[in-house]
């Protein structure tokens, strides 16, 4: 309540106390002033309540939107192949499963709410036989495919992805088609991942009832003062929570090796330094060292692409904290020409965790100013 309304009420009450019943005209004027003050308090409460309702609705949407992100690889150590019909692919080596929507026993991701999800998969296999990895919705409708025909000796990697509108309960799974193959090992060549971008939930409009029955003027004024103070405190607390949530750091980076030619190692592994920075919001990527450092605990999406001539083995390997292999793209020699492969996943990182890329012993990678070989990532949500 504004200071002028408080002063007006105080003067009106004092004046009413002194007048007694001898001056009904003045008393009527005081009562009108008090009614005007009550109306001003009610108007103030309406504004506060409307702001509170909108802020609490926003906060409710933010808090109740589930955090959903998963990434898994086929794992194992060898080839999965079928010559007698399609076969379900079960990605058992789980890297991330925030929200528990992915079932590693069945290979099925089930959408917990209606929303837009980003889904991506990568497949690797020898090039002597057809390779495939096919995304199905609800076990029937084909959404995306990665498919490579035989091309001689060597290996190949392919990937695909899209943003999909899923209803609550929709299921996504991967299949290997008849007369095709796919390969993986503990370095996570063949992966399946996804995350919720944003929910699509219709909510009923908020109804706010502002009217309070006036039993007597003094009681109403006291009640409205108390209620307005409470609404103001709730509004300030809610807006503070919203500000805190909105102040989560913005983190996104993308860089390429750049330069103009081949990087090759025949004497041990080599750290890849992506010096040609395209984006570095939040400055979490260091172009001098090639290291990305997570500024806060959260789920991050990370992706990389490698290109090189096909006359020598190609590799690009993602490490966490300089030791633990997270993902890999790896191509065996396959004759003349060049090849491109990519991989990516959602990863739960602790504050201070580092991600970097390495070139393995006896492998190569190539880039120029057109950004063939890249390393990128961004923060999906804090944890």
């Amino acid at each position: 309540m504004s200071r002028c309304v408080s002063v007006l009420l105080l003067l009106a009450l004092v004046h009413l106390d002194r007048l007694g019943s001898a001056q009904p005209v003045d008393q009527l004027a005081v009562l009108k002033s008090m009614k005007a003050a009550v109306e001003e308090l009610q108007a103030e409460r309406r504004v506060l309540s409307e702001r509170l309702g909108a802020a609490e609705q926003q906060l409710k949407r933010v808090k109740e939107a589930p955090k959903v992100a998963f990434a898994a690889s086929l794992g194992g150590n060898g080839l999965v192949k079928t010559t007698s019909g399609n076969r379900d692919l079960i990605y058992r080596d789980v890297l991330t499963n925030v929200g528990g929507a992915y079932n590693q026993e069945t290979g099925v991701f089930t959408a917990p709410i209606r929303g837009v999800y980003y889904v991506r998969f990568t497949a690797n296999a020898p090039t002597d036989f057809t390779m495939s990895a096919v995304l199905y919705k609800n076990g029937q409708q084909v959404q995306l495919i990665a498919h490579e025909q035989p091309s001689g000796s060597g290996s190949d990697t392919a990937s695909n992805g899209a943003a999909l509108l899923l209803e609550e309960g929709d299921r996504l799974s991967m299949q290997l088609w008849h007369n095709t193959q796919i390969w993986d090992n503990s370095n996570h060549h063949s992966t399946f991942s996804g995350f919720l971008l944003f929910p699509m939930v219709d909510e009923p409009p908020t109804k706010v009832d502002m009217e309070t029955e006036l039993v007597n003027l003094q009681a109403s004024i006291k009640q409205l003062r108390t209620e307005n103070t409470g609404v103001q405190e709730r509004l300030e607390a809610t807006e503070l929570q919203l500000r805190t949530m909105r102040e989560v750091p913005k983190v996104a980076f993308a860089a390429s090796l750049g330069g103009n030619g081949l990087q090759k190692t025949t004497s041990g592994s080599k750290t890849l330094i992506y010096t040609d920075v395209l984006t570095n919001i939040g400055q979490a990527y260091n172009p001098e060292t090639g290291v990305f450092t997570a500024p806060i605990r959260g789920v991050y999406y990370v992706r990389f692409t490698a290109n090189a001539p096909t006359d020598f083995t190609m590799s690009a390997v993602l490490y966490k904290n300089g030791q633990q292999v997270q993902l890999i793209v790896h191509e065996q020699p396959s004759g003349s020409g060049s090849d491109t492969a990519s991989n990516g996943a959602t990863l739960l990182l602790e504050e201070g965790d580092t991600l970097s890329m390495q070139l393995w012993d006896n492998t190569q990678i190539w880039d120029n100013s057109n950004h063939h070989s890249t390393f990128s990532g961004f923060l999906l949500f804090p944890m």
Side-chain angles (χ1 to χ4, degrees):
M1 185 179 68
S2 63
R3 182 176 296 178
C4 64
V5 175
S6 299
V7 172
L8 174 63
L9 288 173
L10 182 60
L11 291 174
L13 290 171
V14 170
H15 187 52
L16 181 62
D17 214 26
R18 290 177 176 177
L19 287 174
S21 58
Q23 301 180 31
V25 176
D26 289 343
Q27 288 180 351
L28 183 59
V30 171
L31 289 176
K32 286 181 179 179
S33 297
M34 295 179 71
K35 286 180 180 179
V38 170
E39 289 173 359
E40 186 170 337
L41 282 168
Q42 288 177 318
E44 181 183 3
R45 184 186 171 191
R46 275 194 293 273
V47 172
L48 288 172
S49 294
E50 287 168 2
R51 284 178 58 197
L52 176 63
E56 288 184 330
Q57 196 70 9
Q58 290 181 53
L59 184 61
K60 181 172 180 281
R61 282 197 296 269
V62 171
K63 285 183 173 180
E64 291 182 356
K67 292 181 171 57
V68 183
F70 78 98
S73 77
L74 285 175
N77 190 18
L79 202 65
V80 180
K81 187 173 183 178
T82 176
T83 56
S84 58
N86 293 0
R87 174 175 177 175
D88 291 329
L89 291 171
I90 301 178
Y91 296 74
R92 297 188 186 279
D93 197 347
V94 174
L95 304 173
T96 305
N97 196 13
V98 175
Y102 174 72
N103 187 332
Q104 68 191 91
E105 301 300 321
T106 63
V108 174
F109 169 79
T110 304
I113 62 168
R114 184 174 189 264
V116 175
Y117 296 77
Y118 183 73
V119 183
R120 190 153 196 97
F121 54 92
T122 295
N124 177 279
T127 54
D128 60 351
F129 197 76
T130 304
M131 175 181 75
S132 80
V134 189
L135 177 68
Y136 278 77
K137 184 169 82 170
N138 298 327
Q140 296 178 337
Q141 186 178 354
V142 174
Q143 298 296 298
L144 299 166
I145 186 172
H147 192 80
E148 297 283 348
Q149 294 297 323
S151 59
S153 61
S155 66
D156 207 353
T157 299
S159 62
N160 209 341
L164 300 175
L165 174 60
L166 301 180
E167 301 296 329
E168 181 179 349
D170 276 353
R171 294 170 289 107
L172 297 179
S173 59
M174 301 294 299
Q175 285 194 27
L176 187 64
W177 273 358
H178 174 63
N179 272 331
T180 65
Q181 64 182 8
I182 193 171
W183 185 88
D184 198 14
N185 66 8
S186 59
N187 289 325
H188 317 307
H189 294 256
S190 295
T191 57
F192 178 32
S193 64
F195 49 85
L196 173 65
L197 281 171
F198 47 82
M200 297 283 287
V201 180
D202 295 327
E203 297 185 4
T206 304
K207 295 181 180 179
V208 183
D209 180 11
M210 297 297 112
E211 297 301 325
T212 303
E213 184 180 355
L214 297 177
V215 179
N216 67 57
L217 289 174
Q218 291 184 355
S220 295
I221 290 170
K222 183 179 179 180
Q223 178 184 353
L224 286 168
R225 279 177 175 171
T226 302
E227 289 177 355
N228 282 11
T229 301
V231 170
Q232 182 71 43
E233 290 171 353
R234 285 174 59 198
L235 175 62
E236 290 172 356
T238 302
E239 290 180 334
L240 177 61
Q241 289 186 62
L242 281 172
R243 280 197 302 273
T244 301
M245 290 182 174
R246 287 168 178 161
E247 287 169 2
V248 171
K250 305 282 193 303
V251 182
F253 77 97
S256 75
L257 286 175
N260 189 19
L262 201 65
Q263 294 193 43
K264 188 173 183 177
T265 176
T266 56
S267 57
S269 298
K270 172 182 177 180
T271 300
L272 291 170
I273 301 178
Y274 297 74
T275 56
D276 197 347
V277 175
L278 306 174
T279 306
N280 197 11
I281 297 170
Q283 303 300 312
Y285 173 72
N286 187 335
E288 302 297 323
T289 63
V291 174
F292 169 79
T293 304
I296 61 170
R297 185 175 190 267
V299 174
Y300 295 77
Y301 183 70
V302 183
R303 190 153 199 93
F304 54 92
T305 296
N307 178 278
T310 55
D311 60 350
F312 196 77
T313 305
M314 175 181 75
S315 79
V317 190
L318 178 68
Y319 279 76
K320 184 170 81 171
N321 299 326
Q323 296 178 338
Q324 187 178 355
V325 175
Q326 297 295 298
L327 299 166
I328 186 173
V329 294
H330 192 79
E331 298 284 353
Q332 295 298 322
S334 59
S336 61
S338 65
D339 208 352
T340 299
S342 63
N343 209 340
T346 50
L347 300 175
L348 174 59
L349 301 180
E350 301 296 328
E351 181 180 348
D353 276 352
T354 60
L355 297 178
S356 59
M357 300 294 300
Q358 285 194 27
L359 187 64
W360 273 357
D361 180 45
N362 276 326
T363 64
Q364 64 182 8
I365 192 170
W366 182 89
D367 198 14
N368 66 8
S369 58
N370 291 324
H371 315 308
H372 293 259
S373 295
T374 58
F375 178 32
S376 64
F378 49 85
L379 173 65
L380 278 172
F381 47 80
M383 294 289 291

